[in-house]
Amino acid sequence: MQKFNISRVGRSVLLALSATTAMMSLNTIAQETTAPTQAEQEDVERISVSGRLMSSAASAAAERREQPYVAELLGMEQISRAGDSNAATALRRVTGLTLVKDKFIYVRGLGERYSSTLLNGAMVPSPDPTRNVIPLDMFPAGIIESLVVQKAYSPELPAAFGGGNVNIRTAAIPLQTTFNVSVGTGYNSLNSDDGFEYAGGGDDWRGKDDGTRGISAELANAQALYGTLTPINIAEALGGINGTNLAQAETIVRELGTAFNRDLDISRTSVKPDFDGSLSFGTRFDLAKNVVFGVMTGISYDRSTQNIEEKERYFSVTGQSLTPLNLYDDIKGTEHQVKLSGMLNFGLELGVDHRIETSTIYLRDTKDEIKIKNGDSIETINEPNRFNTDTSILYEERTMLSNQLRGRHNLPFLMDLAIDWQYTDAKARRYAPSEVEYRTLNETREDGSVFSFVRRNQNAVNYSFSDMNDDTENLSWNAKLPLTWGKAELALTGGYAYFERSRDAQTDRFNFDTVGYTLQQLSGRFSEIFSNDNILDAGNRFKVSNVTTQADDYLAAQMIDAAYGAVELNYDYKFRINIGVRYEDFKQISLPLGANGEVSGSLTDSVLLEDGFYPAVSFTWFINDDLQARFGYSQTVVRPDLREVTPVLYVDPLTDFKVTGFAGLKSTDINSADVRLEWYYDTSNYSIGVFYKDLENPIEAIELSGSDGNLLMSFRNAESGSVYGVEAEFLKQLDMFGGDLGRLTDNFFVAGNLTLSESEISIQRFPGANLTNLERGLSGHSKYVANLQLGFDSDDDKHNATLTYNVFGKRIAFAGVNEKDDAFEQPFNSLDFTYSYTPVNNMTVKLGLKNLLDQNVEILQQGEILQQRTEGQSYSLSFSYKY
């Protein structure tokens, strides 16, 4: 089958389609993504930190104090000292943030759709096709300078702003020569049992496919030549349907079976300890007077293995109770993961007024997962002598490459006008060259023995080959003009941003037909059942077919033109007011492709067009030197992701639920207000605030009504919604005691934050989804989020320790249908401990203990477990040297 390719179709074609549809006067509302600009980032003063965790936390608070909008900041030292290995685990410590499966953040209890991610101020693509945001676990701590979480919108950011925006700022050009090296190992308590592996899998230490998994040339050529791989269709392509051509066609679909990798026998093996290592180097050269050239480079590698223990269920409702349709209480597996990252930055400083930098970042995250599920499906749930064993193998590579050029200039001859700019070209890819699924039936005989065989079915084994490429270009510039007017200090700011994105997603699916096999032939090992001899034996009537009835391929493109203007007034350091507005013109098109590469469905249904103004205002009252109050108001938008508006079927990697997109989704318009009181006293600080968000057309995940015993999810717009709450934060050194108690506690500090909030939505009924509750909370929202940290710094700074606790309230995983209650993800209590010892200068040994409470992740519905995942306890030990 001939497939479209975005490089051949071109961005211009997709954008022309969008423009053509616009000319048809299609009035469609669309969504957008938020992104703080570089002007705002560079305007924040860099604060140097000492080696002590208390000092670094206080310095981060001081930087946050100076920002005109509500924001949180984590510095490099805080991240390192807390034992966080990547950006995702570090952000779990920020007020009002929770982490989902160590990848995605929820801000103020809202789902990840209400957060966005920037890399050095630029919008970059996500290598995860099921999410619009970047999986933050892909960013190792070693390349991070700081993390800025802005919770209140400012017009420098993209208007697609929901709960918050995370800006990942990578390490800058150093002030002096630096050299860092670290090695570490780790282990998870689940790995005391043997893990699973298969030939050619699990030991790919590079995290890159060796060429054995991808679709073969013979298979690709046959699909391109014949299209649908059936004997009748192939016979027609051979010249017509007759006995000779049909016989040849049957031979072709039989012989194609040998073109698949069938060396997939699963075995048990002991699990190796994890390994991670990183190396970074930076230096600067004085080329001439006031001319400095700098370089910063680093590489990080992480190989880990973790066993899987899960439960998975699906129910129908009978009266007040739930009746099981699927019941898999024994799920075992192993996930092998390799993460590789590299960074290369160059910088040129021309005096104090000009700075130009380049930044290249490469990230790769490879997962090789084997999962074996024992239990009952709808076919065997009422048969006590039969049960299923479902086996799946998934290998995927997620990569991102970002190249960025940015500059900052101060022009004294133009009234100290400051200009910054950036151009970023980034590419993301999710390459899944092999996903295999098959079911084995187990029958208990009268003598008590169990006879197991691969089911005899036209779809006995399913192979899929997927490839998604996302390319983006991002250009922006910002200008700031400072003015003085009596006791007032003014700053006029403005800028322009352009963003372009194109996506090409392709999936090929194939099935093995085993109807002609005997049950005895189907009872061996996988490689034996589908050996060349068995496949080529005409008596077994083996066939290969491709799935052409399901739309899996799509092309998509986005384009954003934006401009903003703002003014800041600081009057005699008594108060500061910031007022600004952003204009954005947004275009998006998403085209599902049929079996022959043609566009399926209506073209006009695939287009989202939107333009509008998005204002923001912030007021800060400096009550005294230690106390300040903030007020903020903004209008923003949250747009549906490309995958959510494309009616193709996919599996959510976080939940394993089947999900299909919906072309009729609208954007969510948001009105937000924040009031906050902040007190900074010496190294301590406290804050308390309230917030409110009004949402029009919020996007909700819902269950579609089905009868096959499988959960099918989709997305729909509710009518309205709101989120409101209060959040508090504190950082305090325990130095309030005297005498012996004071000497004992002076080296300790405590930090924490708490968010309490409520959410409400009103949602209407939809065809195919008989929602149980039309008035309920927002999906993904937690009523409370709490973080608490107890830290210790010794006087000689050789011993440092932190004990961290995090918990979130239960949240709706998806809305219930057909009189079933909503499904809730249960609270997860996390307790982590990190201890570091510095025996000599520049050398540190660190011990990390995670999930000490050994809790499981659970989704419940009316008291019944829908999903349960055992996390296990993790232990790590690392050694680092810094020069």
Side-chain angles (χ1 to χ4, degrees):
M1 180 179 67
Q2 182 65 40
K3 297 229 173 175
F4 277 34
N5 186 288
I6 198 75
S7 63
R8 288 183 281 121
V9 176
R11 293 192 183 102
S12 59
V13 174
L14 290 179
L15 296 175
L17 286 172
S18 179
T20 301
T21 311
M23 293 173 64
M24 297 164 56
S25 299
L26 176 68
N27 295 320
T28 314
I29 302 177
Q31 262 183 347
E32 182 175 337
T33 50
T34 69
T37 65
Q38 190 171 351
E40 178 201 19
Q41 301 161 15
E42 299 295 349
D43 191 47
V44 176
E45 181 183 358
R46 306 288 175 120
I47 306 293
S48 61
V49 297
S50 71
R52 300 171 65 85
L53 183 57
M54 176 65 186
S55 300
S56 61
S59 297
E63 181 173 353
R64 180 190 67 193
R65 178 184 187 180
E66 298 303 317
Q67 299 198 52
Y69 296 88
V70 176
E72 311 286 347
L73 184 136
L74 282 179
M76 178 173 55
E77 187 70 17
Q78 286 176 285
I79 297 170
S80 173
R81 296 290 295 279
D84 301 314
S85 60
N86 56 64
T89 54
L91 286 169
R92 190 175 58 177
R93 326 228 177 266
V94 173
T95 307
L97 265 63
T98 54
L99 187 62
V100 180
K101 209 172 183 180
D102 294 333
K103 296 178 184 292
F104 306 106
I105 62 165
Y106 283 16
V107 181
R108 286 172 169 170
L110 297 169
E112 96 278 337
R113 76 164 57 256
Y114 294 96
S115 65
S116 56
T117 308
L118 301 174
L119 180 59
N120 292 320
M123 298 166 59
V124 291
S126 172
D128 190 327
T130 65
R131 297 293 188 276
N132 188 44
V133 293
I134 304 174
L136 293 172
D137 63 324
M138 293 185 68
F139 292 89
I143 72 171
I144 299 172
E145 180 191 65
S146 60
L147 298 170
V148 179
V149 183
Q150 189 160 326
K151 299 179 183 177
Y153 173 69
S154 58
E156 296 91 350
L157 302 174
F161 189 101
N165 175 275
V166 179
N167 186 21
I168 301 171
R169 305 194 298 202
T170 57
I173 305 304
L175 297 176
Q176 59 188 2
T177 298
T178 63
F179 174 76
N180 301 327
V181 61
S182 69
V183 293
T185 186
Y187 193 74
N188 186 278
S189 59
L190 295 176
N191 296 348
S192 57
D193 295 333
D194 285 344
F196 295 94
E197 67 175 5
Y198 63 95
D203 201 23
D204 296 320
W205 65 271
R206 297 178 304 152
K208 191 169 181 64
D209 178 42
D210 56 7
T212 62
R213 295 180 175 89
I215 189 169
S216 64
E218 302 96 309
L219 194 58
N221 291 336
Q223 190 167 224
L225 183 61
Y226 304 118
T228 305
L229 300 180
T230 63
I232 292 179
N233 194 62
I234 294 176
E236 288 181 341
L238 292 173
I241 300 177
N242 55 51
T244 302
N245 288 342
L246 279 174
Q248 184 179 351
E250 289 174 354
T251 300
I252 290 173
V253 296
R254 184 166 56 247
E255 291 178 343
L256 283 175
T258 64
F260 290 82
N261 176 22
R262 290 147 291 135
D263 192 10
L264 301 175
D265 296 335
I266 296 173
S267 58
R268 302 299 295 263
T269 183
S270 59
V271 177
K272 301 175 183 178
D274 300 339
F275 170 80
D276 64 87
S278 65
L279 182 69
S280 66
F281 172 77
T283 190
R284 58 193 289 131
F285 305 92
D286 293 320
L287 302 181
K289 184 178 180 180
N290 296 327
V291 178
V292 178
F293 175 77
V295 61
M296 185 76 186
T297 184
I299 188 171
S300 173
Y301 175 83
D302 187 314
R303 177 190 56 78
S304 63
T305 300
Q306 183 168 337
N307 281 337
I308 298 170
E309 291 184 10
E310 296 177 346
K311 292 182 180 180
E312 208 173 277
R313 299 166 170 183
Y314 183 68
F315 297 88
S316 65
V317 66
T318 304
Q320 297 298 316
S321 61
L322 298 180
T323 301
L325 298 179
N326 280 354
L327 203 62
Y328 287 90
D329 283 350
D330 178 18
I331 301 178
K332 305 289 187 183
T334 302
E335 180 180 289
H336 306 271
Q337 190 169 34
V338 174
K339 296 181 181 179
L340 178 67
S341 67
M343 177 187 70
L344 179 61
N345 290 355
F346 294 106
L348 182 65
E349 295 179 353
L350 303 173
V352 297
D353 292 325
H354 303 280
R355 181 184 180 104
I356 299 175
E357 293 181 335
T358 70
S359 177
T360 297
I361 296 175
Y362 176 76
L363 306 172
R364 182 197 295 164
D365 185 352
T366 300
K367 181 177 73 171
D368 195 357
E369 180 189 86
I370 304 162
K371 189 177 288 188
I372 299 175
K373 301 161 53 175
N374 291 299
D376 291 300
S377 63
I378 193 171
E379 293 89 359
T380 62
I381 194 73
N382 295 316
E383 298 188 26
N385 296 326
R386 297 181 67 201
F387 69 94
N388 303 321
T389 299
D390 293 349
T391 302
S392 64
I393 299 173
L394 169 63
Y395 177 91
E396 67 172 0
E397 299 172 11
R398 297 180 300 159
T399 58
M400 189 190 78
L401 174 63
S402 171
N403 293 295
Q404 187 176 70
L405 177 65
R406 58 185 185 269
R408 181 159 51 97
H409 312 277
N410 185 53
L411 307 176
F413 58 90
L414 289 179
M415 303 172 62
D416 282 332
L417 177 68
I419 298 175
D420 71 77
W421 54 270
Q422 66 83 24
Y423 171 77
T424 303
D425 179 87
K427 304 177 186 298
R429 185 186 188 193
R430 184 214 181 236
Y431 177 55
S434 178
E435 185 173 3
V436 183
E437 297 178 335
Y438 61 92
R439 172 170 291 175
T440 300
L441 300 180
N442 308 281
E443 293 185 350
T444 304
R445 294 176 170 176
E446 293 183 358
D447 62 358
S449 62
V450 177
F451 178 57
S452 301
F453 55 92
V454 174
R455 62 177 178 169
R456 191 161 55 185
N457 192 282
Q458 292 179 339
N459 306 319
V461 182
N462 311 119
Y463 280 80
S464 68
F465 306 90
S466 301
D467 197 3
M468 184 209 77
N469 289 275
D470 224 342
D471 295 344
T472 65
E473 288 186 73
N474 189 194
L475 170 68
S476 65
W477 61 263
N478 309 279
K480 181 176 182 179
L481 180 65
L483 301 170
T484 301
W485 184 22
K487 293 184 177 181
E489 294 183 357
L490 287 172
L492 305 179
T493 58
Y496 170 80
Y498 176 80
F499 176 76
E500 183 179 296
R501 177 185 189 184
S502 61
R503 175 181 289 184
D504 177 15
Q506 301 179 0
T507 301
D508 295 298
R509 301 180 189 271
F510 302 89
N511 297 323
F512 283 4
D513 185 341
T514 60
V515 172
Y517 277 71
T518 66
L519 294 184
Q520 197 65 39
Q521 287 177 307
L522 294 170
S523 63
R525 296 169 65 87
F526 190 90
S527 62
E528 296 170 348
I529 297 171
F530 300 106
S531 65
N532 286 350
D533 290 341
N534 281 342
I535 285 176
L536 298 176
D537 185 347
N540 291 334
R541 304 197 310 276
F542 174 88
K543 297 184 184 69
V544 168
S545 62
N546 56 346
V547 180
T548 59
T549 57
Q550 178 178 316
D552 290 304
D553 303 343
Y554 67 99
L555 298 174
Q558 287 180 344
M559 186 169 66
I560 303 174
D561 267 299
Y564 76 92
V567 59
E568 176 179 313
L569 169 64
N570 192 325
Y571 183 76
D572 197 25
Y573 299 98
K574 296 291 195 309
F575 66 85
R576 178 179 59 206
I577 185 168
N578 296 76
I579 301 176
V581 64
R582 185 181 186 89
Y583 171 79
E584 286 198 351
D585 181 21
F586 176 85
K587 298 182 178 70
Q588 176 177 284
I589 185 167
S590 181
L591 304 175
L593 304 179
N596 297 316
E598 77 283 356
V599 176
S600 62
S602 171
L603 178 63
T604 56
D605 291 339
S606 303
V607 176
L608 292 174
L609 302 174
E610 176 181 82
D611 68 313
F613 291 92
Y614 302 95
V617 59
S618 174
F619 177 80
T620 305
W621 175 26
F622 302 107
I623 301 172
N624 55 46
D625 290 343
D626 300 324
L627 188 65
Q628 65 184 37
R630 299 179 185 265
F631 167 79
Y633 172 80
S634 65
Q635 294 179 2
T636 58
V637 66
V638 170
R639 301 187 175 99
D641 182 39
L642 289 175
R643 199 59 149 142
E644 295 172 345
V645 297
T646 308
V648 298
L649 189 68
Y650 64 97
V651 176
D652 189 320
L654 295 185
T655 62
D656 287 333
F657 296 155
K658 291 183 177 179
V659 185
T660 183
F662 178 67
L665 287 181
K666 302 176 182 178
S667 300
T668 303
D669 293 318
I670 303 175
N671 285 272
S672 303
D674 283 89
V675 178
R676 182 169 171 138
L677 187 65
E678 300 171 352
W679 182 35
Y680 299 87
Y681 181 74
D682 290 336
T683 57
S684 301
N685 65 82
Y686 310 87
S687 69
I688 186 169
V690 295
F691 60 90
Y692 176 83
K693 294 181 181 294
D694 179 78
L695 301 100
E696 182 180 349
N697 301 317
I699 300 171
E700 287 288 291
I702 65 169
E703 177 187 352
L704 299 181
S705 301
S707 59
D708 61 352
N710 291 312
L711 186 63
L712 179 61
M713 303 293 299
S714 190
F715 308 96
R716 298 292 187 273
N717 288 106
E719 293 176 337
S720 61
S722 62
V723 183
Y724 51 92
V726 58
E727 57 186 14
E729 180 180 14
F730 67 92
L731 171 67
K732 174 63 180 175
Q733 189 169 358
L734 298 180
D735 56 359
M736 71 287 289
F737 305 105
D740 294 338
L741 182 60
R743 286 189 292 273
L744 181 65
T745 61
D746 279 354
N747 296 104
F748 288 87
F749 73 92
V750 62
N753 53 72
L754 173 67
T755 301
L756 302 174
S757 59
E758 291 283 347
S759 68
E760 302 170 353
I761 68 163
S762 175
I763 191 168
Q764 64 278 25
R765 297 193 182 278
F766 303 101
N770 182 24
L771 294 173
T772 303
N773 299 313
L774 301 182
E775 304 284 340
R776 57 172 175 81
L778 198 67
S779 292
H781 175 257
S782 297
K783 290 189 175 182
Y784 63 87
V785 177
N787 295 283
L788 187 63
Q789 185 179 84
L790 177 65
F792 170 81
D793 290 306
S794 65
D795 289 332
D796 58 8
D797 203 33
K798 288 189 175 183
H799 303 274
N800 308 97
T802 55
L803 183 67
T804 336
Y805 172 74
N806 171 270
V807 66
F808 60 84
K810 70 176 184 178
R811 53 196 180 206
I812 296 177
F814 57 88
V817 297
N818 301 328
E819 299 182 2
K820 288 186 293 185
D821 197 3
D822 301 325
F824 287 90
E825 181 180 353
Q826 300 304 297
F828 185 83
N829 294 272
S830 173
L831 184 65
D832 303 334
F833 174 76
T834 300
Y835 166 74
S836 64
Y837 171 57
T838 306
V840 296
N841 288 339
N842 304 328
M843 191 178 296
T844 302
V845 179
K846 187 179 298 180
L847 172 69
L849 309 175
K850 291 186 178 294
N851 195 25
L852 292 174
L853 301 179
D854 201 17
Q855 279 214 298
N856 299 330
V857 176
E858 289 185 337
I859 297 178
L860 303 184
Q861 192 172 39
Q862 293 183 212
E864 297 285 353
I865 294 176
L866 289 188
Q867 281 195 345
Q868 183 184 84
R869 184 176 74 249
T870 302
E871 290 290 290
Q873 296 174 313
S874 297
Y875 323 104
S876 63
L877 181 66
S878 65
F879 166 85
S880 63
Y881 173 80
K882 298 182 179 181
Y883 170 76

